[in-house]
Amino acid sequence: SILNKSMYIVVNVITGLFVIISSIIGYGISGIGDGSANDFTILIWLFIWMIGFLLQFRLKTRIIGFIIILLPVAYFLSVYISAVMM
C-alpha cells in the first residue's frame, strides 16, 4: 500500500537525520576536554542505523530493519533526556 510505503520513507528520513546529526555532534563533543581525543565509538550507532535501513529493502527483513533503526534513536533520546534531567 502507498500509505505504508510513505510511512516507512518518512520514518527513515526523520530517524536518519536525527541519528546522523546526533552522531556528528557526539563525535565533536567527545574531544572537548583537555587532552582528550574524539571518540569514534559514538559513530557505531550510525552504522547500526544504516544496517537497519539496508535490511528494509528486502520484504522478509523489513520489520527487523525497522526495529533496528529505532535502537539508535532510543539511545540518543535516552542520552538527551538524562542530560536534561541532570
Side-chain angles (χ1 to χ4, degrees), residues 1 24-25 31-32 34 42-43 62 66 69 77-78 82-83 85:
S1 68
I24 291 171
I25 290 173
I32 287 181
D34 288 337
I42 194 83
L43 298 177
R62 182 168 290 164
F66 189 75
I69 68 163
L77 281 177
S78 70
S82 65
M85 296 296 183

Side-chain angles (χ1 to χ4, degrees), residues 19-55:
V19 171
I20 289 169
I21 291 169
S22 298
S23 296
I24 291 171
I25 290 173
Y27 179 75
I29 290 175
S30 67
I32 287 181
D34 288 337
S36 65
N38 288 24
D39 186 12
F40 72 93
T41 56
I42 194 83
L43 298 177
I44 290 174
W45 290 107
L46 179 59
F47 294 121
I48 291 172
W49 182 88
M50 291 191 327
I51 289 169
F53 178 72
L54 292 174
L55 284 174

